[in-house]
Amino acid sequence: MKGLVLKDISSLVTELKYIAVLLISMIFLQNEWIYMFAIVYAAVLPISALGYDERAKWKKMEQMLPFTTAQLVGSKYILGYLSTGTAVLLAVFGKGLGVNGIVSAEDLVIIAISFCSALIIEAVQLPLMFWVGVEKGRLLFILITVFSACFLYSVSGILQEAAMAQTGPNILLLFAAAAIISNLISLFVSCKLYHR
């Protein structure tokens, strides 16, 4: 499975350069919305990898290789976890380089909730892309991404207030539970839909 993840990373080199510029700009701008956007953007990188696979006719090649369906599908999820986790680490690092030089507990709660939200978005999008394909599902992909970004933007103020209050950890636990459950269900559904 490591080889599959490396294949996807090598096909995403150009996009990774763009996200690197975005993440570096986050450090200087110190805006929660940009941090959230970068984390969500990192979560949709597996969709781009699926698009590259479709254009390269990867389905024909994978049949000759000794990979199981779980490995082929799981590699996309792992790519999403790695890219989103990296964006979270860079967001924490960027917050640490901010004006105060301190990452507050509120900032960590907001970044953690953004991470869980990005994993939920990935859990919704990947089965749909495995089902209809990236080329056919491009409009669906755009609608889900825009809706998710608008939702995160609209609740960012509420999340900031909750993070400053005592309810922040409770909301984080709710988001974490939703992310874990949705990803387990999503992985199961994606394995069932992969060869259809």
Side-chain angles (χ1 to χ4, degrees):
M1 187 161 348
K2 180 181 172 185
L4 290 169
V5 174
L6 290 174
K7 171 195 73 74
D8 290 336
I9 290 172
S10 66
S11 67
L12 291 171
V13 170
T14 305
E15 252 181 272
L16 291 174
K17 289 177 187 174
Y18 293 130
I19 198 167
V21 169
L22 179 66
L23 291 171
I24 290 169
S25 66
M26 287 189 328
I27 295 169
F28 300 108
L29 296 175
Q30 294 294 313
N31 184 330
E32 277 77 20
W33 167 242
I34 293 176
Y35 286 101
M36 289 179 175
F37 176 76
I39 292 169
V40 169
Y41 181 77
V44 298
L45 284 177
I47 309 298
S48 298
L50 276 172
Y52 289 131
D53 286 351
E54 280 184 14
R55 281 187 290 248
K57 309 287 189 234
W58 170 248
K59 285 264 191 192
K60 291 179 181 177
M61 289 186 276
E62 75 184 22
Q63 293 170 358
M64 297 181 287
L65 299 171
F67 294 119
T68 64
T69 301
Q71 289 174 323
L72 293 165
V73 171
S75 68
K76 300 298 186 234
Y77 282 87
I78 289 172
L79 175 67
Y81 303 149
L82 288 174
S83 61
T84 309
T86 303
V88 165
L89 290 176
L90 289 172
V92 171
F93 177 73
K95 276 290 190 185
L97 292 178
V99 179
N100 304 350
I102 298 170
V103 182
S104 67
E106 293 86 15
D107 290 334
L108 289 176
V109 169
I110 290 171
I111 290 171
I113 289 174
S114 299
F115 174 67
C116 293
S117 300
L119 294 183
I120 293 169
I121 292 166
E122 179 182 324
V124 170
Q125 287 187 341
L126 276 174
L128 294 171
M129 294 304 123
F130 283 126
W131 181 40
V132 296
V134 177
E135 296 300 322
K136 292 179 185 173
R138 191 168 304 279
L139 180 61
L140 186 61
F141 166 74
I142 291 169
L143 288 175
I144 291 171
T145 303
V146 168
F147 174 77
S148 303
C150 290
F151 174 76
L152 277 177
Y153 181 72
S154 64
V155 299
S156 63
I158 298 168
L159 292 178
Q160 285 177 339
E161 290 174 19
M164 292 178 197
Q166 298 298 324
T167 57
N170 295 334
I171 292 174
L172 176 58
L173 286 175
L174 179 69
F175 271 84
I180 291 168
I181 292 168
S182 64
N183 272 272
L184 290 173
I185 293 169
S186 176
L187 186 60
F188 176 76
V189 170
S190 292
C191 286
K192 295 293 182 187
L193 294 174
Y194 187 70
H195 287 294
R196 293 188 180 180

